[in-house]
Each structure stands twice: as C-alpha cells, then as structure tokens.
Amino acid sequence: MKLSRQFTVFGSAIFCVVIFSLYLMLDRGHLDYPKSPRREGSFPQGQLSMLQEKIDHLERLLAENNEIISNIRDSVINLSESVEDGPKNSQGNFSQGAGSHPLPSQQLSLPIDPEDCLFASQSGSQNSDVQMLDVYSLIPFDNPDGGVWKQGFDITYKSYEWDTEPLQVFVVPHSHNDPGWLKTFDDYFRDKTQYIFNNMVVKLKEDSRRKFMWSEISYLSKWWDVIDTQKKDAVKSLLENGQFEIVTGGWVMPDEAGPHYFALIDQLIEGHQWLEKNLGVKPQSGWSIDPFGHSPTMAYLLKRAGFSHMLIQRVHYAVKKHFALHKTLEFFWRQNWDMGSVTDIFCHMMPFYSYDIPHTCGPDPKICCQFDFKRLPGGRVGCPWGIPPETIYLGNVQNRAQMLLDQYRKKSKLFRTKVVLAPLGDDFRYSERTEWDQQFKNYQLLFDYMNSQPQLNVKIQFGTLSDYFDALDKADKNSGKSSQSVFPVVSGDFFTYADRDDHYWSGYFTSRPFYKRMDRVMESHLRAAEILYYFALRKAQKYKISKFLSSSHYTALSEARRNLGLFQHHDAITGTAKDWVVVDYGTRLFHSLMNLKKIIGDSALLLILKDKHTYDSYSSNNFLEMDLEQKSQDSLPQKNIIRLSAEPRYLVIYNPSEQDQNSVVSVYVSSPTVQVSSATGIPVEIQVSAVWDTADAISQTAYEEMMNKEDGKHHVVKLEFSWYGTSNKKDKSGAYLFLPDREARLYGYTTLPFVRVTRGRIYSEVTSFFDHITHRVRLYNIQGVEGQSVEISNIVDIRKEYNREIAMRISSDINSQNRFYTDLNGYQIQPRVTMSKLPLQANVYPMTTMAYIQDAEHRLTLLSAQSLGVSSLKSGQIEVIMDRRLMQDDNRGLGQGVHDNKITANLFRILLEKRSVTNLEEEKKSVSYPSLLSHITSSFLNHPVFPMIEKVSSPTPQLLGEFSPLMSSLPCDIHLVNLRTIQSKVGHGHSDEAAFILHRKGFDCQFPGRDTGLLCSTTQGKILVQKLFNKFTVESLTPSSLSLMHSPPDARNISEINLSPMEISTFRIRLR
C-alpha cells in the first residue's frame, strides 16, 4: 500500500517506458546514471544466465522462424562472450535503456514459520458425513423416469405416522425479484416491484396471520426513497410483529460461480448497512433460490456474518435425488478445510425441480399447480398440466385439503423431522392486489379446515423462513438424541448444475466475458479507492481541507459499491440478461469506474502533497490522471500517452497491495529519448519499446517450452486454441447451457499468422496475430514475483462467428490423470475429478481466479484476471473457454442467444512450480491450497499497480517522495480485503470509522521457498495493532461480524489481531 512518485524527463513518436522497482526504490541509490540515454547496459553474470534461459524459451516459441531465432541466438552469444571478457564493459544489442542491472540479485529464502505449514498438511474434511466428491463417484447419473416426480421416485407413507407427533407445515409466501433480467432494474421496479411493496403494506395488515418475506435490498432501498412516513412506519411494525421478514439482506441474491469474494462481501455489507440504518433489523436466515449452482464460499460468508441457517435450490437433479433418498436434504454445511465444526451452518436444500408453486408443495406438480391460486381460470397464467385450480368454498374444502395434505406428507418423507417448508411464490409475484386475495384467502380456508380436523394430525399456517427454522431447531432438540443433532454434516460444493437431461449450466461460466473482465477491473478500482479515500479523509479532517471534505466522493463511492453489488446478481455477472439490460449494467459499471478514478486521483494527491493546504488549488482539474482510459462501456481501455517536454513531469505510482513488491510499470510516452528518475534524483532502470498499431512480422507459432529453475528440467508446455460448435440436436447451447457437438477442434488458419518479437532487458515478448485472437506471451526478467510466471494476454474477437465457442488449451507432460483443481470465488480451492460417465459439458467448472493440475513433482497453475469456464479433459491439460457466440435461446426464459460479443481482453499467467510430495495418499484429499507464490501472483494480477500522470500545471506542487501508510509489509499470507469507510448513523454521509477486513490465506508449503521474489514473511496470523500503520494512530480497533451486523458481546479495543488460516474477519477501525 504505497504511493511513490517518479520524475520523468523527456524530448518526441509513441514509445513504451517501463519503470521498475518503485516501492523499494527510495532506499536503493546505486543505479548508474547514463552518459547517454542510448548507451547499452551491463549485465552481471547471474542476470545473464536468467536472461539466456528466457531467450531460450522464446526460441522454442518461434521454432519455425529460423531467421528470427538466429538473431536472438546471436544476441545471446554476443552477450555471453562480452561477459566472459569482462562484465564491466559489455555492450549488448538489446533495446536501449538507462542504468545498469535491474535489481540486486541477492534473494533470500522465504521466512515461513514452520507452524504456518501445519494447516495445509493436516486439513481435509475427514470429519464430514457426506463429501460431495464421494457423492459424485456414487451417483450413476442414469436419469430414470421417477413417475409424477420425474427426476425422483415414488413416495409412500402410512396414515398413522403422525399419530404421536402431528405434521407441522409452514407455507411461506415470497416473491423472487431479479434486479435486471428481461427488463432493466429500473423498469422492473417501475412495472412490478413497487406494487408488490405497496400491496404488501395494505394486505398484510388485513390479517395478522399473513406473512411475507423479501431478500433483495437494492429494490427495497429504491422503494424506501420514494414512500411516505406512513408506509415506512407500517413496514417497521410488520417487521416487529413477525409478519414480514428480511432474508439474507444482501444488495442482490448473487451468483455463486463468477463473483470474487471481495464483491460478495461488499454487496452483503451494503445491504446490511442499509438495513441497520433504515430498519434496524438483522437478517438471520439465508435464502438463495435462483443462483445456478451453489458455492461453500457463500455458506462461509453467511456464517461469518452471523447467520445460523440458509436455504439453497438449484442443485443437480441427480444430487437432489441422492440427498432425498438418504434424507440428507437438511444438513450442516462445513468447509472442506475445517478441522473442527466452527464453519458449520445449517442448510436446507429444496428437493424438487424449481422454486415455483407447482414444484414446492410436494412431488406432483400437476397437483401443486392447482394450489397456485394466481392460475385460477380467467387469469393470464394457467397450469401446463391441464387441471386448473378451484376457488375454495365449503363444498370442496374437504376434498381439496386432503389433496394438498397428501403432497405435504409426501414431501415430509424426504426429511428427518415432521416439520415441512412449503414456499408459496415465483418471479415478481404478488404485484397485483387480486393475487394477494386469491392466495391468502383460499389458503386460509384450507388451513382453518385442516387445523379443525384432529384426525388429520396437522398444524398448518403461514410463516416466514425463520419461523420454519425455529420450529425445526425445536424439533431437532426434542428428537431425544442427547446432544447430537439428527442432521448430517456435508462438505463440498454444488457445481456444475443440471436441471434436466444433459443440460449442464456451464455455458454461463463464460457468457459475456467482456463484462466479467470489467467486473474485476471495477473491483480493483473500488478497493483502491476505498483504501486511499479513508486515509485521505483522515488527513483532510486533521488539516481541515474543506474542499475534500465537502466533495461528493463519498456519495460516488456509495454509488460504485451499489453498481458493483448490482452486477453480482445472478443474471448480471453470469451474462444471462437481455442485450439492453447488459448495456444498462455495463453503463453503471463504466460510470462508477470514471468516478473511482477521480477519487483515487484526488485522494492520492492529498496524501502525497507536502503542503496539504495547497490541495484546493490542484484538485479542481484532476491533477493526477489515471494511465488507462476507457472511452465507452463496451470498449477496451487504452493507455494515455504522456506528452513530453523539457520540463520534468511527475509520475505517481500507487501499489494497492499490502506487500512491498518489485514491479514493472509500463507507460506510453511521446518520445523515445526519455529518462526516469526517482524522487531523490536517482535514475530508474527503463526499457523503451515500440508501440505498434498493426502487426509487422510473419511467422507461425509452434510451441513453448518452460523450464523450472529449481530442477533445471525442461517441460514442454503447449498452448493451442480450439473451437467448440453446438449440438445438432433440438436443444442447443445458449447463454446458460453448454451443449457442444463434440470435442473441441483445433483452431486452424489459412494464412500464416503475423508474429512479432520484442526483446529487452526488463521484458521480452512474442505477439501472434490470428484472425480471431491477438495472442501475446511476455516474460519478465526481474527478481520480483512478476519474473516467476509467464504472462498471457489474448484479445479475442469472434463477432463474425456463428454458434462457436473459442477455447485456450494448455497441454503439458504433468501426469495429472483425471484430477484438477479450481478456485471458488477467489477464496478456496475445490478438487475436481473429470468423469467419463458424465458428458463433456458436465466436466466444465467455474474458475474465478485460478485452476491447476499437478503430479508428484510439479504443479502447473493457470491464473486468471477474469471468471471463465475451465476443464481438464485429458491428463496434463487445462482448457479455458474464452468467449462464446450463440445464435439461439436455450429455453431457460431469456428468449435470445448471445450475439452481442465485444472485442474482449483476457489476461492470464502460467506458473510452473516444483513440488515435494512425500505422501501420495494426500493427493486424494478433498482439499488443496495454492502456494504463497501463487497467491501473491494472483493478487497482483487482480490488483495491479496504478500509474498516475501529472497534468501540466503551474506552479508545480511539492510532492512527498512517497506516502506509505503501512509500517511494513503485512505477512505474506494476510490480505487486506478492504478498508471501507462506514456510513454515518444519520444523514447520507460517512462516519469516522472504517471496516478493516482481513483474510488469512491457507497455503501449501510443498514448494521451494528460495528466490520466489516474495518480500514478506509469515507470523502465524498475528499482527500487532500498534505496528500496523505508519502515518496514523489507531484510536480504536474492535472485532465485528463480517458485514458489521453484530458486535461480539465483549467487543473492546484489541492490541493484537489473531487470524486462523482461511479466516476472513472484519474489524471496526478508527484512525487519526
């Protein structure tokens, strides 16, 4: 977390400068000043051998282009001869650069506390009753016809089963409101949602036995802003008397495959903070009925936020059947890595096909549909099974009650208690007053009849989700077993989802990848802005900088949180909304991105000014400008060109990471004759390379070979592109579904691609230009983390294709067999097994930030800067689907294909690491962890440094050499998730507190610790509070629940932070 400034002195054509080692720059004064900027650099022997290795890699990449290869080889030979003759006078024919060796080459072994390695070697859910990896190997996936419950089985019961303990039924009215799908968020609110709320206030008051619940706070807050005090008071009294309940209470009901945990937490905080301020309620039950598959990360976050119960719905139909057969549909969900039971949260899995009324009263949709009274004859919707509902009256109540009770009894046979949950709702239900009357009045007549017939042994009522869970807890306690619960413990995840046949929802892992990348860029900007803003705010309050304090920054920050939160919705980041709705989401993200850049620039300026009081005169015209500029919501960002003159300009670099890092920074300047010096005037090592508008050289890409420097062995790592078509059957791929016609076909081309090679002392790269992909491979010759992996950038354009999906496949000699590993939400790793009994599309899983394969000796990791679908269909392979263009709807309600493709940037890194595994049995464990190097690489891929350019102004302000708010790097395994300014209790402003969110990462120690480029150590999760900050005093630091909803009863100031591995914790912090 550091701001540094560099002077840039210049003279005229667009060129790229790379500035480097910015954070440790200021205490390193030994870079030579060039006598002439065109002088060639000297290389110490160690640097040369690394360079030669990397040039060798490039050689192999261009095996078929002899002419270029011979040039590279000559240059290496020249260099090695000159070094043998005498390192001091070498003249290498490399890109011009100022200064000598890139960085000191002494690299110490990584200091890791041995106790920090115990966690990864010991953990693994040996203590859960059901492990999802085992369930998958048990299930035959044969999909027989189950009768009325098509995907299940016949359910029978004996009428006396409830003689001793009656059946307890909770009918739970709800309305599922997508914040954008077939209409935009605003249009849905205008046409539907506002009426649901308005009618609720009136209709619940008519009868105190009526209940209703709500989850999406984005809609509730929009309605709250336009209603009068009378309605607000009515809502509060309905909440108080238990007729109305808020479930989950996030900004949206988020997707669980694409989002990063940063955004999942942020939208939860946004919702919970809104509830605290406006309604004073704290949700206690999670409700997730529509996301397409479920992640244990979400269960963990809810548990950390103080939830005790949750509900999920979209799970593979074969898994639901298996759970129903074993009565494990209600379970304690435990994290794979949890060695105790601290992460357990009670989870209810809905047993049938959907959350609509035909699939929630019991196993027979033909009967349940007759109890959806919105479908009464004469209405707009009917029952597809052909038998409509009947209005309940004295003459039919007995017959209808017995029909319905039969379904409730059958449903209860799938569970371990005599308490039944029967949701009563669907998408945007209860928007019309007539529906409130139809549902509530008819059901009340059925309830009154059932409750008045003792021989039926049933107690039935309207309820909320928590009413159900409370009754369930009571039944569990009274079950007679001493302290043990009747419910099993389950570990693992619920991907990939299929709702019928071979219809696997693995397409949406990649759909609309342009916006999946934009989402991650937005997250890095929001986090950077949050952190800088809170620091700047404290300085502005100290120095009474009224212009900063009165700015609209906090309002813009709040809006950015909400726009990012809205995009986590399960039809937004998933890429499964109508074209114009996607544009609406994109426009919101783009608008907030512009605002965040201004907040970052203004906050950085305030922090780095020597005289804070001069802030007013410089802030008005965006004195610091971000290096990247995006022109519209659907275009790729472009670098700004720094126009040079004889006057030096400031270049300010912000490292948003909690660790020091040696990093390459690339900026565009208007002249190749450029010098860069640090704040103290010391020249900085640079490389000047051409910026190309078009391709320039011809060749053909062959393969790439990687060498692991620990063992010096060569590993062939082949990178290819391939196409998938779509099935020729009736059902075809669309926004949700991936239904390929066959295995992928290799990408072919008729004309040879252009290939361009750039070489330099700091980085070398090869760019290949194909019809649909501009593929760049870059190697960094630096000591930092960036020098440890290969950077892959693909610019993909399939806008003219028809029903095709493009994939990147990495093949290696790693003997991974059928096992591979993908991350869930950037938070944890889930082992995967590619199964031949499943169709190809079922073996595709979500990858948020990384996927890897390994054998006893090596691990190959693909790190990603955007969420995509990934698979490992053959041993030694990782395949990632980068974009898809599909011409038809896949019959899941969207009503269109995916053909609004953009030119899309995908960014990856490939990391090859040597492993030392002693026990091969460990490979079968249900848990795995990245190495520390992999964690840190992923971190800088997702949170890159921000270069900022000084706008020409006079007089030039005096800036500090650096501003470093942290006293030193945080431990290697501790990540600062956010430093989020907390809202004030009244009004729209902010308080002087922030949410300080930390995550201690679990990591695997079976990798070499030497020369990893890491500049940090580990401390068993301990941080001393007084040693945290450099320029600030910690006034208070108190523990809180994850989303600030609860404070522990003994919450008081702490002087030491202690985190367990994998733990994410939030603290309330006040700095001055």
Side-chain angles (χ1 to χ4, degrees):
M1 200 84 37
K2 192 177 286 192
L3 285 163
S4 311
R5 71 183 165 97
Q6 309 288 325
F7 261 127
T8 40
V9 187
F10 315 104
S12 67
I14 309 168
F15 273 75
C16 160
V17 183
V18 177
I19 302 138
F20 142 40
S21 161
L22 297 176
Y23 315 108
L24 306 178
M25 192 54 243
L26 300 169
D27 49 20
R28 273 207 185 101
H30 54 251
L31 291 167
D32 297 335
Y33 192 82
K35 289 187 175 62
S36 138
R38 295 193 176 277
R39 197 193 86 170
E40 307 307 339
S42 324
F43 280 78
Q45 186 73 49
Q47 292 296 310
L48 183 70
S49 61
M50 273 180 74
L51 184 65
Q52 187 154 1
E53 280 171 25
K54 291 184 177 180
I55 297 291
D56 285 347
H57 299 174
L58 286 172
E59 282 191 11
R60 293 181 179 82
L61 264 173
L62 294 158
E64 293 175 21
N65 192 320
N66 295 322
E67 189 180 310
I68 294 180
I69 288 173
S70 61
N71 290 345
I72 299 178
R73 193 181 291 116
D74 291 347
S75 68
V76 174
I77 291 165
N78 291 347
L79 266 171
S80 39
E81 285 170 359
S82 60
V83 168
E84 280 158 24
D85 293 343
K88 295 286 177 286
N89 314 316
S90 69
Q91 297 287 311
N93 61 350
F94 272 66
S95 299
Q96 58 178 57
S100 67
H101 45 110
L103 270 181
S105 53
Q106 80 276 4
Q107 179 70 43
L108 303 173
S109 192
L110 183 63
I112 292 185
D113 192 309
E115 289 196 32
D116 285 333
C117 293
L118 291 175
F119 174 73
S121 59
Q122 289 172 355
S123 68
S125 59
Q126 305 87 341
N127 58 351
S128 59
D129 305 309
V130 180
Q131 168 52 244
M132 285 311 298
L133 283 169
D134 301 337
V135 170
Y136 259 67
S137 58
L138 287 172
I139 296 179
F141 293 100
D142 51 355
N143 195 19
D145 189 329
V148 293
W149 176 17
K150 274 267 175 283
Q151 298 167 330
F153 46 86
D154 273 333
I155 306 171
T156 56
Y157 62 85
K158 304 280 191 293
S159 56
Y160 57 74
E161 288 185 46
W162 292 275
D163 286 359
T164 53
E165 187 190 340
L167 186 66
Q168 222 185 325
V169 184
F170 289 91
V171 175
V172 176
H174 69 97
S175 180
H176 179 67
N177 283 239
D178 293 302
W181 181 37
L182 308 177
K183 298 182 181 182
T184 63
F185 171 73
D186 287 337
D187 286 352
Y188 270 141
F189 179 80
R190 184 195 66 215
D191 299 345
K192 295 274 189 184
T193 310
Q194 62 168 330
Y195 301 112
I196 301 172
F197 288 132
N198 290 338
N199 291 329
M200 173 192 79
V201 172
V202 175
K203 290 295 173 185
L204 289 187
K205 274 190 154 169
E206 287 178 6
D207 187 336
S208 61
R209 295 170 297 181
R210 294 178 179 180
K211 305 269 182 142
F212 196 61
M213 60 181 204
W214 192 266
S215 73
E216 301 81 5
I217 302 305
S218 47
Y219 277 128
L220 185 56
S221 81
K222 190 172 173 63
W223 179 63
W224 200 254
D225 288 345
V226 297
I227 58 171
D228 56 26
T229 320
Q230 199 180 349
K231 276 201 181 104
K232 289 181 181 176
D233 290 342
V235 172
K236 288 175 185 169
S237 75
L238 289 169
L239 283 163
E240 265 165 49
N241 72 14
Q243 280 185 268
F244 182 43
E245 183 185 11
I246 304 292
V247 284
T248 311
W251 200 244
V252 296
M253 183 187 292
D255 173 44
E256 299 184 22
H260 192 276
Y261 74 90
F262 169 89
L264 288 174
I265 293 171
D266 206 65
Q267 64 86 32
L268 207 55
I269 294 177
E270 192 59 34
H272 290 173
Q273 285 273 282
W274 187 91
L275 287 170
E276 177 188 292
K277 186 170 187 164
N278 294 284
L279 293 173
V281 297
K282 300 177 193 297
Q284 51 199 36
S285 303
W287 173 256
S288 185
I289 57 172
D290 200 26
F292 326 135
H294 293 282
S295 166
T297 304
M298 201 64 208
Y300 177 73
L301 299 180
L302 290 177
K303 174 75 174 183
R304 296 295 294 161
F307 286 73
S308 50
H309 302 79
M310 63 182 291
L311 174 146
I312 59 177
Q313 147 60 20
R314 288 195 189 264
V315 172
H316 193 303
Y317 61 87
V319 173
K320 286 192 173 208
K321 178 179 174 179
H322 178 88
F323 274 47
L325 279 165
H326 294 86
K327 295 195 177 185
T328 53
L329 287 162
E330 291 184 317
F331 54 88
F332 287 101
W333 199 350
R334 179 175 298 170
Q335 299 301 310
N336 272 331
W337 42 265
D338 184 1
M339 289 182 264
S341 58
V342 66
T343 61
D344 289 12
I345 179 169
F346 184 85
C347 182
H348 171 101
M349 182 192 294
M350 291 169 62
F352 307 122
Y353 173 77
S354 166
Y355 54 80
D356 63 7
I357 297 170
H359 296 95
T360 47
C361 87
D364 190 345
K366 182 165 96 265
I367 291 174
C368 292
C369 194
Q370 298 172 53
F371 293 90
D372 180 355
F373 294 101
K374 187 190 168 99
R375 301 179 195 248
L376 281 163
R380 275 176 302 195
V381 266
C383 278
W385 294 271
I387 310 172
E390 295 176 17
T391 303
I392 304 301
Y393 66 102
L394 209 55
N396 70 357
V397 69
Q398 179 180 355
N399 171 29
R400 303 308 278 182
Q402 274 170 334
M403 260 173 87
L404 184 57
L405 179 59
D406 175 60
Q407 288 299 305
Y408 291 151
R409 284 174 170 176
K410 283 175 175 163
K411 185 174 186 177
S412 85
K413 291 293 287 176
L414 306 179
F415 295 90
R416 298 191 181 192
T417 72
K418 292 190 164 68
V419 189
V420 173
L421 173 70
L424 187 73
D426 202 342
D427 291 7
F428 296 97
R429 281 301 187 89
Y430 301 98
S431 60
E432 293 159 9
R433 287 199 177 191
T434 49
E435 184 181 0
W436 287 85
D437 291 336
Q438 287 164 339
Q439 305 285 25
F440 282 98
K441 287 181 174 169
N442 282 298
Y443 267 97
Q444 195 59 56
L445 288 168
L446 289 163
F447 295 173
D448 291 345
Y449 175 79
M450 289 189 216
N451 289 332
S452 70
Q453 304 293 311
Q455 78 282 4
L456 294 181
N457 291 314
V458 63
K459 180 178 174 236
I460 184 165
Q461 65 195 76
F462 290 118
T464 63
L465 188 59
S466 293
D467 290 339
Y468 169 73
F469 282 137
D470 290 346
L472 195 67
D473 288 347
K474 210 162 150 191
D476 185 25
K477 284 196 181 70
N478 299 340
S479 65
K481 291 196 182 176
S482 52
S483 60
Q484 198 161 4
S485 170
V486 301
F487 302 111
V489 173
V490 175
S491 291
D493 76 327
F494 297 102
F495 289 113
T496 291
Y497 171 59
D499 57 348
R500 56 178 185 257
D501 308 321
D502 61 352
H503 294 190
Y504 285 83
W505 296 43
S506 42
Y508 87 90
F509 299 156
T510 294
S511 296
R512 267 78 172 241
F514 178 91
Y515 295 100
K516 287 174 161 70
R517 172 78 189 121
M518 192 173 177
D519 165 74
R520 205 65 62 82
V521 171
M522 173 80 173
E523 281 165 32
S524 71
H525 279 78
L526 178 58
R527 176 180 174 275
E530 291 276 16
I531 293 167
L532 283 184
Y533 175 76
Y534 184 65
F535 287 139
L537 184 65
R538 305 316 286 149
K539 289 288 180 200
Q541 283 166 330
K542 180 179 176 181
Y543 292 101
K544 300 187 170 55
I545 312 297
S546 57
K547 189 165 180 188
F548 189 90
L549 293 171
S550 64
S551 73
S552 60
H553 288 342
Y554 186 73
T555 309
L557 204 53
S558 292
E559 188 184 66
R561 295 164 175 174
R562 292 178 173 194
N563 285 336
L564 179 69
L566 193 71
F567 194 67
Q568 306 314 304
H569 161 56
H570 58 263
D571 287 304
I573 192 172
T574 52
T576 56
K578 290 277 193 192
D579 288 353
W580 61 89
V581 180
V582 172
V583 171
D584 182 61
Y585 290 133
T587 305
R588 288 167 185 269
L589 291 179
F590 176 67
H591 174 72
S592 283
L593 205 48
M594 300 299 102
N595 286 339
L596 291 172
K597 288 180 178 195
K598 176 154 177 58
I599 295 170
I600 291 169
D602 284 359
S603 302
L605 174 64
L606 179 62
L607 293 170
I608 211 163
L609 274 173
K610 272 189 181 163
D611 179 0
K612 306 292 181 213
H613 297 291
T614 58
Y615 173 81
D616 289 8
S617 47
Y618 292 108
S619 63
S620 51
N621 63 345
N622 293 359
F623 175 74
L624 291 177
E625 212 171 29
M626 300 296 271
D627 170 50
L628 281 172
E629 192 177 352
Q630 191 174 331
K631 293 276 192 279
S632 64
Q633 63 89 19
D634 59 355
S635 61
L636 290 178
Q638 303 294 327
K639 276 189 172 294
N640 286 319
I641 299 160
I642 307 176
R643 302 279 165 206
L644 304 181
S645 64
E647 283 300 304
R649 300 268 297 278
Y650 283 125
L651 180 66
V652 175
I653 311 290
Y654 170 41
N655 169 17
S657 156
E658 57 286 298
Q659 270 98 27
D660 281 341
Q661 60 187 57
N662 298 328
S663 188
V664 174
V665 176
S666 165
V667 294
Y668 284 8
V669 294
S670 59
S671 162
T673 52
V674 53
Q675 294 176 5
V676 182
S677 58
S678 74
T680 50
I682 299 164
V684 174
E685 179 75 11
I686 63 168
Q687 167 180 329
V688 177
S689 305
V691 173
W692 304 75
D693 291 333
T694 55
D696 204 69
I698 290 188
S699 172
Q700 184 175 351
T701 155
Y703 61 87
E704 174 182 348
E705 194 165 301
M706 292 177 73
M707 190 167 88
N708 183 280
K709 62 180 191 304
E710 294 296 326
D711 57 5
K713 285 182 189 157
H714 286 264
H715 300 273
V716 176
V717 176
K718 195 163 79 173
L719 194 147
E720 302 161 307
F721 298 103
S722 57
W723 290 111
Y724 282 102
T726 188
S727 164
N728 48 19
K729 297 187 191 137
K730 182 170 75 72
D731 294 302
K732 296 183 178 358
S733 299
Y736 304 90
L737 305 184
F738 178 37
L739 290 166
D741 51 350
R742 53 183 244 193
E743 287 187 4
R745 275 155 282 205
L746 273 183
Y747 183 92
Y749 38 84
T750 44
T751 54
L752 292 179
F754 282 109
V755 171
R756 191 176 67 216
V757 182
T758 304
R759 291 175 286 130
R761 71 185 60 209
I762 292 172
Y763 75 83
S764 297
E765 70 179 21
V766 177
T767 309
S768 310
F769 297 85
F770 301 92
D771 288 345
H772 305 88
I773 313 153
T774 302
H775 170 61
R776 191 191 77 201
V777 179
R778 183 181 278 195
L779 294 164
Y780 291 95
N781 177 36
I782 69 167
Q783 288 274 316
V785 174
E786 267 175 293
Q788 307 292 318
S789 52
V790 179
E791 185 179 275
I792 308 281
S793 153
N794 296 323
I795 308 289
V796 178
D797 182 2
I798 59 166
R799 291 176 298 173
K800 294 189 174 66
E801 292 307 301
Y802 182 92
N803 270 340
R804 290 176 98 183
E805 316 198 16
I806 193 162
M808 177 175 76
R809 180 189 298 160
I810 297 156
S811 309
S812 71
D813 52 5
I814 287 175
N815 181 22
S816 57
Q817 295 168 353
N818 63 346
R819 291 182 77 84
F820 68 114
Y821 302 82
T822 64
D823 77 311
L824 287 167
N825 317 101
Y827 171 65
Q828 59 185 327
I829 298 293
Q830 175 64 48
R832 306 285 182 199
V833 178
T834 298
M835 295 191 170
S836 54
K837 66 181 173 183
L838 293 173
L840 187 156
Q841 61 268 27
N843 287 306
V844 176
Y845 290 95
M847 165 184 68
T848 313
T849 62
M850 68 175 77
Y852 53 81
I853 51 174
Q854 62 189 24
D855 56 22
E857 293 178 359
H858 294 94
R859 176 183 288 180
L860 181 71
T861 307
L862 175 70
L863 298 128
S864 178
Q866 58 284 313
S867 295
L868 296 166
V870 72
S871 63
S872 174
L873 300 173
K874 294 195 170 76
S875 181
Q877 281 188 2
I878 298 176
E879 183 176 273
V880 57
I881 299 179
M882 298 188 298
D883 201 0
R884 44 206 318 263
R885 190 157 198 272
L886 302 156
M887 312 318 291
Q888 62 283 314
D889 183 42
D890 50 8
N891 300 309
R892 292 305 183 277
L894 181 58
Q896 64 158 76
V898 184
H899 26 68
D900 56 349
N901 303 67
K902 317 276 180 259
I903 298 175
T904 296
N906 283 319
L907 185 62
F908 305 98
R909 278 189 169 255
I910 297 176
L911 176 63
L912 178 67
E913 297 172 287
K914 185 173 166 50
R915 298 178 77 209
S916 45
V917 178
T918 44
N919 177 10
L920 283 172
E921 275 308 296
E922 285 189 10
E923 300 296 279
K924 300 281 184 280
K925 285 209 303 197
S926 58
V927 64
S928 183
Y929 302 93
S931 65
L932 267 179
L933 176 59
S934 184
H935 274 309
I936 305 272
T937 305
S938 179
S939 179
F940 83 74
L941 190 59
N942 285 288
H943 300 287
V945 297
F946 291 91
M948 288 173 265
I949 300 150
E950 168 205 1
K951 266 196 182 169
V952 182
S953 62
S954 59
T956 301
Q958 292 292 301
L959 301 188
L960 299 166
E962 67 165 30
F963 172 84
S964 186
L966 291 181
M967 210 172 268
S968 61
S969 280
L970 289 187
C972 276
D973 55 344
I974 292 181
H975 170 57
L976 171 56
V977 180
N978 208 344
L979 182 64
R980 188 187 201 268
T981 307
I982 294 174
Q983 65 187 13
S984 67
K985 296 241 185 322
V986 288
H988 287 296
H990 52 77
S991 67
D992 53 3
E993 280 190 313
F996 182 54
I997 310 175
L998 296 174
H999 171 204
R1000 182 177 173 200
K1001 302 183 175 192
F1003 63 92
D1004 189 337
C1005 289
Q1006 299 173 324
F1007 298 91
R1010 290 191 68 76
D1011 296 346
T1012 52
L1014 297 177
L1015 303 165
C1016 49
S1017 60
T1018 66
T1019 59
Q1020 289 176 264
K1022 292 184 175 64
I1023 303 175
L1024 285 172
V1025 173
Q1026 76 266 28
K1027 295 210 166 146
L1028 256 174
F1029 298 102
N1030 185 10
K1031 304 276 196 299
F1032 299 91
T1033 311
V1034 179
E1035 261 186 14
S1036 67
L1037 184 97
T1038 55
S1040 161
S1041 65
L1042 181 65
S1043 61
L1044 303 168
M1045 211 163 44
H1046 305 280
S1047 295
D1050 55 344
R1052 56 175 184 275
N1053 252 332
I1054 53 169
S1055 57
E1056 185 180 78
I1057 293 170
N1058 276 296
L1059 301 175
S1060 307
M1062 298 302 292
E1063 182 180 329
I1064 302 177
S1065 278
T1066 299
F1067 302 86
R1068 285 178 177 268
I1069 193 169
R1070 187 186 286 110
L1071 298 179
R1072 67 173 156 81

